[in-house]
Amino acid sequence: MEASSSGKCALSNGNTEIHYPGVKDINIFFDDLEAANSPSKDDDSLLHAGNLTSMSDEVSRLDAEGEIPSMPEKNRTNGLFFNDGKCRIDYILVYRKSSPHSEKREIFERNIRAEGLQMEKESSITNSDIMFVKLHAPWEVLGRYAELMNVRMPFRRKIYYLHRRYKFMSRMEKQLSRFRGWLPKKPMRLDKETIPDLEENDCYTAPFSQQRIHHFIINNKDTFFNNATRSRIVHHILQRVKYEEGKNKIGLNRLLSNCTYEAAFPLHEGGYRSKNSIKTHGAENHRHLLFECWASWGVWYKYQPLDLIRRYFGEKIGLYFAWLGWYTGMLFPAAIIGLFVFLYGMFTLDSCQVSKEICQATNVTMCPLCDKYCPYMRLSDSCVYAKVTHLFDNGATVFFAVFMAVWATVFLEFWKRRRAVIAYDWDLIDWEEEEEEIRPQFEAKYSKKERLNPISGKPEPYQAFTDKCSRLIVSASGIFFMICVVIAAVFGIVIYRVVTVSTFAAFKWALIRNNSQVATTGTAVCINFCIIMLLNVLMKKLHFFSPTSNSPVLNQMWENSFT
């Protein structure tokens, strides 16, 4: 940068302040001349170190004397690595030796090795019939599939642009900051001493490319891809490995459904509890940090550390919890208005004309609920029900209904703004388009029929129009039939309530006979619950076995179809 000829460059307090000519209100600050091109820290270095400065000399002394085990030995004992202590476990498969599907499993594992994954088996300590298959993805496999999946990786540190502060404004800000220091701290904010500063290591990201690997910030190949990304890549591979010849004989999910494997899962980074305090000794790992700052009951009232959630679980789960936190926060005004409506009903209970007339109507006789066994009843017998109804259905309920209609629209629009901010901060503007990939089931079923994509120009599996129409007709017929079943179940519940009122009114037990209406409603609710749960299971089974279950090309389309 030729600052001497085109502008001014001033050094002060270790920061470089660059003033570009023609730009009066923007300054760019580089921290020690390294922010623009210095590599970001690895994930493990983001953990808060705590007050461990006094321990560093002792650790180095013990290390020199040979009292501290080497890194492979430590890795071997923590259960997150292979027995050699070098290869990190990225995925676990569990199977039983007595399983009759050993041939499928052997073919599947042979194809896993052909994809480049390393494998190690270990038997269970408690049950000799259970075997654990530990999978590790080496650097070459991670790089190849990260490029194939368009995984976004850091390639440049972010530069934050700050507006120029005038002297008067800077004095005002100093006075305001001093005044804020006297005020009590916001209890919902997270403790900055516990949470690492992720903005210092925030980077721009780009889809990974092996041809442009020199542009990416790689300090250590073992930690360049975080655990969430490594597990996602291995899961992507396992969903596309064949275990038998055939169109649909592909993927880990089918092996789990036919009990070839008992379970499949990635590992956490270690335990989430520690004997030492996180403020004094720091976090043991990212899981421990998340538990102390997010998942423990003691911090239920604090804001969520979304950046930590995203770093540990990935962007998709991070966005889900961002939405959940936003939804929970937006429910507070609705809850406050609803509480006021309830209190208004309580204070106006004595002046409610409808409940007064019902409670005073002792001479009004009502027809019985059934023909033979139900007695006549007075209108004043429903006095309690009328008063309870007024608590929730009063004059303020109309205002609450209007408020909720406006609230629903405001919630959606404000969430769009919040989502745009998060997408910008996390560099996810084009994330859905780049991350979306063809489903392995669709790819296996229609791999023989390919055509060029008019946008990308690459060959992709193709489903014929006649095949798609026939599957849609069959699925639509099944959906229409299930809708008829639901409507029939609703009418069945109504008929049940009409019939059983007289049955409970003629019951031998006096408790049920005197509360026949409550017993009818209670049993109808239980039957309705059972029907809902049964239809829920049935709908899931029908979707997975329906002709259109493999038709959606992309995962997002499949999720929408399932919904």
Side-chain angles (χ1 to χ4, degrees):
M1 292 179 290
E2 299 177 357
S4 59
S5 59
S6 61
K8 293 186 290 184
C9 178
L11 297 176
S12 62
N13 297 328
N15 294 332
T16 305
E17 183 179 347
I18 300 175
H19 305 275
Y20 288 98
V23 182
K24 297 181 179 180
D25 59 340
I26 293 179
N27 297 340
I28 302 177
F29 293 93
F30 293 96
D31 187 11
D32 295 326
L33 296 173
E34 294 178 354
N37 54 4
S38 65
S40 66
K41 299 178 184 178
D42 297 323
D43 285 347
D44 294 337
S45 65
L46 294 176
L47 295 175
H48 176 64
N51 300 328
L52 298 178
T53 54
S54 61
M55 295 291 292
S56 58
D57 297 335
E58 184 69 16
V59 170
S60 60
R61 183 186 65 79
L62 293 175
D63 195 11
E65 295 177 359
E67 296 182 19
I68 292 182
S70 61
M71 186 59 67
E73 292 180 2
K74 291 172 68 177
N75 292 341
R76 196 182 302 125
T77 57
N78 65 11
L80 299 175
F81 292 79
F82 281 12
N83 290 329
D84 59 0
K86 298 178 181 179
C87 298
R88 179 183 291 273
I89 299 174
D90 297 319
Y91 221 86
I92 294 286
L93 303 177
V94 185
Y95 70 89
R96 293 182 179 273
K97 296 179 183 178
S98 56
S99 174
H101 305 286
S102 59
E103 186 176 353
K104 295 179 182 179
R105 187 178 65 250
E106 290 174 359
I107 297 173
F108 184 73
E109 292 175 359
R110 194 183 308 131
N111 292 334
I112 288 176
R113 293 191 189 95
E115 291 290 336
L117 296 179
Q118 297 178 9
M119 186 183 302
E120 184 179 81
K121 294 187 178 182
E122 189 170 337
S123 60
S124 173
I125 300 174
T126 58
N127 190 347
S128 59
D129 188 40
I130 294 178
M131 291 291 294
F132 296 96
V133 181
K134 298 179 282 187
L135 301 178
H136 168 75
W139 170 258
E140 294 77 13
V141 176
L142 292 173
R144 184 171 73 250
Y145 276 94
E147 184 175 5
L148 184 67
M149 298 167 61
N150 291 320
V151 177
R152 302 184 69 91
M153 300 304 296
F155 75 97
R156 185 181 297 172
R157 286 279 299 276
K158 282 188 177 180
I159 305 170
Y160 293 94
Y161 294 86
L162 303 174
H163 291 281
R164 177 180 291 178
R165 305 300 186 193
Y166 297 98
K167 290 184 179 180
F168 176 74
M169 293 299 296
S170 62
R171 289 175 184 172
M172 289 292 295
E173 287 184 355
K174 286 181 181 179
Q175 296 296 330
L176 286 174
S177 61
R178 191 176 300 173
F179 176 71
R180 289 193 192 114
W182 297 336
L183 296 175
K185 293 183 178 180
K186 295 181 179 180
M188 299 174 69
R189 297 284 183 186
L190 292 166
D191 188 4
K192 291 185 177 180
E193 297 179 358
T194 305
I195 299 292
D197 191 2
L198 298 181
E199 283 192 358
E200 290 184 356
N201 308 277
D202 207 3
C203 300
Y204 292 107
T205 60
F208 184 77
S209 173
Q210 290 183 324
Q211 295 179 350
R212 300 178 179 85
I213 195 172
H214 55 280
H215 291 297
F216 292 90
I217 303 172
I218 304 177
N219 288 334
N220 188 352
K221 289 184 177 181
D222 294 334
T223 57
F224 176 64
F225 295 103
N226 58 25
N227 290 344
T229 304
R230 296 175 69 98
S231 301
R232 186 158 63 92
I233 291 175
V234 175
H235 182 76
H236 174 91
I237 296 172
L238 295 178
Q239 293 299 327
R240 285 158 175 80
V241 173
K242 281 196 170 187
Y243 60 87
E244 200 175 334
E245 289 298 327
K247 290 183 178 180
N248 296 325
K249 309 297 183 180
I250 184 174
L252 178 63
N253 288 342
R254 289 187 175 272
L255 294 177
L256 290 171
S257 61
N258 62 22
C259 297
T260 302
Y261 286 101
E262 297 292 323
F265 50 87
L267 292 179
H268 278 289
E269 293 185 0
Y272 62 90
R273 294 186 182 276
S274 177
K275 297 179 181 178
N276 303 316
S277 173
I278 191 173
K279 293 185 178 180
T280 57
H281 292 74
E284 299 286 340
N285 47 61
H286 288 86
R287 188 187 182 195
H288 178 214
L289 183 63
L290 273 177
F291 176 77
E292 293 290 339
C293 303
W294 178 53
S296 62
W297 287 104
V299 293
W300 65 269
Y301 59 92
K302 291 184 178 292
Y303 293 122
Q304 297 185 100
L306 294 177
D307 290 328
L308 289 176
I309 298 171
R310 170 217 179 186
R311 194 174 288 273
Y312 190 77
F313 291 106
E315 283 80 5
K316 200 168 187 179
I317 296 178
L319 282 172
Y320 165 74
F321 280 107
W323 176 85
L324 192 64
W326 181 259
Y327 176 62
T328 306
M330 287 292 289
L331 283 177
F332 275 99
I336 292 172
I337 298 298
L339 180 62
F340 279 128
V341 171
F342 179 78
L343 293 176
Y344 175 82
M346 287 185 62
F347 292 134
T348 59
L349 187 62
D350 296 334
S351 60
C352 178
Q353 188 65 27
V354 176
S355 58
K356 274 184 178 180
E357 291 181 358
I358 292 176
C359 294
Q360 294 173 1
T362 55
N363 298 327
V364 179
T365 305
M366 304 294 293
C367 295
L369 294 174
C370 56
D371 293 335
K372 294 183 180 180
Y373 303 102
C374 299
Y376 289 91
M377 57 183 182
R378 300 180 186 277
L379 180 59
S380 58
D381 293 341
S382 57
C383 176
V384 176
Y385 294 106
K387 289 183 177 180
V388 171
T389 303
H390 178 74
L391 294 176
F392 303 97
D393 188 7
N394 48 65
T397 310
V398 179
F399 166 74
F400 183 70
V402 174
F403 171 81
M404 288 306 297
V406 176
W407 176 90
T409 305
V410 171
F411 162 75
L412 186 60
E413 296 303 320
F414 273 80
W415 164 244
K416 289 178 182 178
R417 295 182 61 183
R418 174 62 176 161
R419 184 182 61 184
V421 171
I422 294 174
Y424 178 78
D425 289 341
W426 292 358
D427 205 4
L428 302 177
I429 301 299
D430 301 323
W431 179 66
E432 290 185 357
E433 289 79 5
E434 292 173 353
E435 295 281 322
E436 201 62 68
E437 55 197 23
I438 297 176
R439 296 178 60 246
Q441 293 82 1
F442 181 87
E443 193 174 0
K445 193 173 186 64
Y446 300 101
S447 58
K448 294 182 180 180
K449 298 179 182 180
E450 291 187 348
R451 69 170 182 178
L452 291 177
N453 190 311
I455 299 175
S456 63
K458 298 179 181 179
E460 63 179 14
Y462 170 68
Q463 183 184 12
F465 179 75
T466 54
D467 182 55
K468 186 184 294 186
C469 286
S470 60
R471 290 174 179 274
L472 284 174
I473 291 171
V474 174
S475 295
S477 303
I479 291 172
F480 179 74
F481 172 75
M482 290 305 300
I483 291 174
C484 294
V485 170
V486 171
I487 295 174
V490 172
F491 276 106
I493 294 294
V494 173
I495 294 171
Y496 168 83
R497 295 183 65 168
V498 172
V499 171
T500 52
V501 168
S502 58
T503 305
F504 283 124
F507 213 75
K508 295 181 180 179
W509 296 347
L511 179 64
I512 296 179
R513 187 171 61 250
N514 297 332
N515 299 280
S516 59
Q517 192 173 359
V518 176
T520 302
T521 305
T523 53
V525 166
C526 294
I527 294 173
N528 196 19
F529 169 76
C530 295
I531 291 175
I532 290 172
M533 298 303 295
L534 181 63
L535 289 178
N536 191 22
V537 174
L538 184 61
M539 292 285 253
K540 283 184 179 180
K541 296 291 184 183
L542 284 177
H543 174 77
F544 284 112
F545 289 103
S546 67
T548 56
S549 61
N550 289 330
S551 296
V553 183
L554 306 176
N555 283 315
Q556 187 65 36
M557 296 169 62
W558 186 89
E559 290 177 0
N560 294 338
S561 172
F562 178 69
T563 304

